[in-house]
């Protein structure tokens, strides 16, 4: 007992966390759930957003057109079937199955990202517990649970929570294999790495931390190891097969999400990589959305700590892989904030490592802090973590409303279009968004199509001419739809607007919504 009384407050704090390990996962589940509860009061925000509308439309087309898994369909493919080159469509497919069982409700679209978002928190705990210990794992998982970006992504129909879950579990199981030599762990790691890359090809960055674990385990014999090559086949062959098939859909039907070529280009441009604003934007998002400034400081401190054992070097190569990913996919990272979510596992784990390194450093000082000050330091940090949890809980209620107001307005316009046009009508949606792009390089805005439950074509206003409209009408287009600020701009384009008015009277002619008939609906 005298020995116990001589233990420093910092050491006692960590021992308390270690001794309470049986409560860690239940506690993390509660925290992760509470930081996402706001969405249950605003389920109408689950499918709002560009990417969300695309995935939702694919799920609806699976439901309505038969569950042909290998042939995902979007709504902006014109009069054709809309088969599209995209990532592995497991999330919209499972969402469609939920629709089939429970009916088409926004809550069904929430199930997969919500569960995967909570799963990320638990997976980070399991991985960090094995790599370091359960105390470091608990803090790392709490950091992840308090991430505003993970919380937001878990409350809307995005594939990123599932992607991050697969990458963390893949590294976790390979780390476990380095200790257990169990083939089951190796195979699970490979299949999860494959699923991550299938969900988004950019997830191949996880190959660098995985390679690090193989080098630690096998050393110079890595290329002579059957296990290494088996892992490579299991992880990469499914990815190759899917994307070859997916690209064939693009070649035949011309629809793509911009996976490799065609459509929206997510890769780096020299002028972007030379722009200081790009690096300031990435830093700001990691500081304020992926984590917090306090956590980022701990992350940097942990990053420059000497690895305590060879396997912990995986955290450094993981970070290096993320830097490469961010630079290589610079355009995507600039345009879409959820592209920074892959940073979360490394930031959370190294942030926790850095925090405990600081605590332990206090105890190793030539003149250690008095026990009272040690207790104060622990209290302040724990208080800040609690404040983070509360802050995310509040923000999770407010962010979908404030950020997605524009998307909600599009949904309202789309519902008007659905009421004003017969079912089965083909529409042409025109906005100013694509004025600086070409039909082969644009990323098509899907929201109007999805929420109006209509299919058709997207056209930038700059592309519209009488000849273009006549060509679309010949293909079966029934209505031209223009909305928001583009209505006034289009009205000011007097010759084309007048020409369309001479053909038919508008179905809707509001200041922020214009629906013009192009032709009578074709006989079914």
């Amino acid at each position: 007992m005298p020995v116990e009384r001589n233990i420093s407050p910092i050491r006692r704090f960590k021992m308390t966390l270690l001794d309470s390990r049986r409560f860690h996962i239940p506690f993390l589940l509660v925290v992760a759930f509470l930081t996402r509860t706001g969405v249950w009061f605003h389920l109408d925000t689950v499918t709002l957003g560009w990417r969300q509308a695309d995935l939702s439309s694919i799920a609806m087309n699976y439901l309505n057109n038969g569950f042909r898994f290998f042939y995902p369909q979007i709504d902006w493919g014109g009069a054709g079937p809309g088969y599209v080159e995209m990532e592995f469509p497991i999330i919209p497919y499972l969402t469609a199955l939920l629709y089939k069982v429970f009916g088409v409700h926004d809550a069904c679209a929430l199930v997969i990202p919500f569960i995967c978002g909570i799963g990320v928190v638990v997976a980070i705990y399991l991985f960090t517990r094995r790599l370091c210990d359960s105390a470091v794992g608990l803090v790392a998982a709490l950091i992840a649970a308090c991430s505003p970006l993970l919380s937001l992504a878990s409350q809307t129909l995005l594939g990123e929570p599932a992607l991050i879950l697969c990458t963390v579990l893949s590294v976790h199981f390979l780390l476990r294999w380095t200790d257990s030599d169990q083939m089951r762990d190796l195979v699970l790691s490979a299949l999860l790495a494959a699923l991550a890359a299938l969900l988004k090809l950019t997830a191949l960055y996880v190959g660098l931390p995985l390679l690090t674990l193989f080098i630690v385990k096998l050393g110079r014999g890595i290329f002579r190891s059957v296990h290494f090559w088996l892992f490579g086949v299991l992880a990469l062959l499914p990815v190759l097969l899917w994307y070859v098939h997916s690209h064939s859909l693009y070649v035949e039907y011309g629809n793509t999400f911009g996976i490799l070529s065609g459509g929206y280009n997510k890769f780096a441009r020299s002028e972007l990589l030379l722009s200081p604003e790009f690096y300031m934007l990435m830093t700001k998002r990691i500081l304020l959305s992926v984590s917090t400034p306090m956590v980022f400081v701990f992350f940097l401190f942990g990053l420059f700590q000497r690895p305590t054992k060879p396997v912990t070097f995986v955290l450094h190569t993981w970070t290096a892989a993320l830097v490469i990913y961010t630079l290589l996919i610079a355009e995507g990272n600039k345009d879409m904030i959820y592209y920074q979510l892959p940073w979360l596992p490394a930031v959370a784990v190294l942030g926790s490592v850095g925090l405990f390194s600081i605590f332990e450093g206090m105890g190793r000082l030539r003149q250690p802090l008095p026990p009272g000050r040690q207790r104060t330091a622990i209290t302040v940090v724990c208080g800040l973590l609690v404040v983070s949890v509360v802050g995310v809980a509040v923000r999770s209620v407010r962010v979908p409303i404030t950020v997605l107001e524009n998307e909600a307005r599009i949904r309202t316009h789309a519902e008007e279009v659905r009421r004003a046009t017969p079912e089965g009508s083909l529409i042409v949606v025109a906005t100013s968004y694509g004025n600086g792009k070409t039909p082969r390089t644009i990323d098509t805005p899907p929201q109007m199509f999805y929420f109006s439950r209509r299919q058709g074509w997207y056209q930038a206003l700059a592309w519209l001419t009488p000849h273009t409209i006549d060509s679309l009408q010949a293909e079966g287009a029934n209505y031209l739809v223009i909305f928001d600020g583009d209505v006034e701009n289009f009205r000011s384009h007097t010759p084309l607007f007048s020409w369309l008015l001479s053909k038919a009277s508008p179905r809707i002619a509001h200041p922020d919504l214009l629906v013009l008939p192009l032709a009578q609906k074709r006989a079914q």
Side-chain angles (χ1 to χ4, degrees), residues 277-443:
E277 288 78 10
F278 170 72
Y279 299 98
M280 291 175 62
L281 178 64
M282 293 300 102
T283 303
K284 178 182 176 182
R285 289 178 177 175
I286 294 171
L287 277 171
L288 301 178
S289 295
V290 174
S291 62
T292 67
M294 179 186 70
V295 170
F296 191 73
V297 170
F298 295 154
F299 160 71
L300 292 177
F301 196 88
L303 184 63
F304 291 103
Q305 294 298 303
R306 179 176 297 179
T308 56
K309 51 186 176 180
V311 289
T312 57
F313 191 64
V314 70
L315 297 174
H316 299 77
T317 55
W318 200 333
T319 304
L322 290 167
V323 171
I324 295 170
Y325 152 76
T326 303
L327 296 177
L328 183 62
I329 316 297
E331 189 71 28
N333 273 280
K334 176 181 73 71
D335 291 344
M336 290 163 284
I337 189 171
Y338 58 83
Y339 267 51
Q340 284 84 69
L341 198 54
W343 278 89
L344 179 60
V347 169
V349 178
L350 281 169
S352 182
V353 169
L355 173 63
F356 280 98
S357 297
I358 291 172
F359 280 166
E360 291 166 5
M362 291 178 185
R364 291 195 299 265
L365 292 174
R366 182 170 299 177
Q367 292 183 336
L369 291 176
R373 291 191 179 180
Q374 292 185 22
R375 283 191 290 269
T376 299
I378 294 170
T379 302
V380 168
V381 171
C382 291
L384 289 173
L385 287 176
V386 171
V387 169
S388 298
V389 171
V390 175
V392 172
V394 172
R395 187 175 178 181
S396 67
V397 175
R398 298 174 58 189
V399 165
I401 300 173
T402 56
V403 173
L404 299 176
E405 283 180 349
N406 182 58
E407 303 295 334
R409 189 168 60 252
I410 296 175
R411 182 175 189 163
T412 300
H413 294 330
E415 289 169 351
E416 289 188 68
V417 172
R418 180 168 55 182
R419 290 191 295 267
T421 59
E423 185 175 352
S425 299
L426 295 177
I427 64 174
V428 178
V429 177
T431 74
S432 57
Y433 167 75
N435 283 349
K437 300 188 179 185
T438 68
R440 303 296 289 182
T441 62
I442 194 170
D443 45 332

Side-chain angles (χ1 to χ4, degrees), residues 10 19 144 166 188 196 253 282 300 305 308 379 457 467 473:
I10 289 176
D19 291 341
C166 289
L188 275 173
Y253 299 100
M282 293 300 102
L300 292 177
Q305 294 298 303
T308 56
T379 302
W457 300 259
H467 174 72
Q473 181 179 331

Side-chain angles (χ1 to χ4, degrees), residues 179-200:
D179 294 327
S180 69
D181 286 319
Q182 292 290 325
M183 184 62 70
R184 173 185 58 196
D185 293 331
L186 182 78
V187 172
L188 275 173
S189 176
L191 294 179
L192 286 162
L195 183 55
L198 285 166
L199 287 169
K200 185 161 284 188

Side-chain angles (χ1 to χ4, degrees), residues 2-21 132-136 355-364 368-379:
V3 175
E4 290 291 331
R5 284 195 293 268
N6 291 331
I7 295 177
S8 70
I10 289 176
R11 177 63 178 163
R12 189 185 299 276
F13 170 69
K14 186 166 185 178
M15 288 178 62
T16 301
L17 293 182
L18 292 172
D19 291 341
S20 63
R21 64 175 62 89
C132 302
D133 57 54
S134 57
V136 179
L355 173 63
F356 280 98
S357 297
I358 291 172
F359 280 166
E360 291 166 5
M362 291 178 185
R364 291 195 299 265
L369 291 176
R373 291 191 179 180
Q374 292 185 22
R375 283 191 290 269
T376 299
I378 294 170
T379 302

Side-chain angles (χ1 to χ4, degrees), residues 18-214:
L18 292 172
D19 291 341
S20 63
R21 64 175 62 89
R22 66 184 181 277
F23 301 112
H24 286 180
I25 290 181
F27 174 68
L28 290 169
L29 290 173
V30 170
V31 172
F33 182 83
L34 288 177
T35 55
R36 290 152 178 79
T37 52
V39 70
W40 299 106
F41 301 98
H42 301 284
L43 284 171
D44 57 332
T45 66
V46 172
T47 56
L48 291 183
W50 193 304
R51 183 63 168 167
Q52 295 91 323
D54 263 328
L55 293 179
S56 301
S57 66
I58 293 166
M60 288 298 298
N61 284 323
Y62 274 134
L63 178 67
N64 296 329
N65 302 332
F67 288 82
R68 301 179 65 197
F69 181 83
F70 294 101
Y71 293 89
Q73 295 170 275
I74 39 79
D75 292 333
W76 37 267
Y83 298 134
V84 64
E85 178 190 48
M86 68 171 295
E87 300 88 354
F88 199 58
I90 186 66
I91 292 176
Y93 190 84
L94 292 176
T95 302
L97 290 176
L98 291 172
Y99 288 162
K100 181 75 172 177
V101 176
F102 300 105
V104 180
H105 305 291
D106 287 330
C108 295
L110 176 64
V111 169
I112 296 170
F114 193 88
I115 292 175
C116 288
I118 294 176
V120 168
V121 176
V122 177
I124 287 175
Y125 171 74
L126 295 175
F127 165 70
T128 313
R129 183 179 67 178
R130 176 166 290 276
L131 186 68
C132 302
D133 57 54
S134 57
V136 179
L138 177 63
V139 174
L142 281 173
I143 290 172
C146 297
S147 166
L149 190 54
L150 179 62
S151 178
L152 180 59
S154 305
Q155 298 177 65
T156 185
L157 185 54
L158 288 173
E160 269 58 32
L163 166 67
I164 305 305
L165 177 61
C166 289
T167 57
V168 175
L169 287 178
S170 177
V171 180
H172 166 69
F173 280 113
L174 192 64
L175 176 63
R176 198 165 81 170
W177 171 76
T178 62
D179 294 327
S180 69
D181 286 319
Q182 292 290 325
M183 184 62 70
R184 173 185 58 196
D185 293 331
L186 182 78
V187 172
L188 275 173
S189 176
L191 294 179
L192 286 162
L195 183 55
L198 285 166
L199 287 169
K200 185 161 284 188
L201 197 56
T202 53
L204 289 173
Y205 70 82
V206 78
L208 190 55
L210 292 172
L211 179 62
T212 301
L213 292 176
F214 271 112

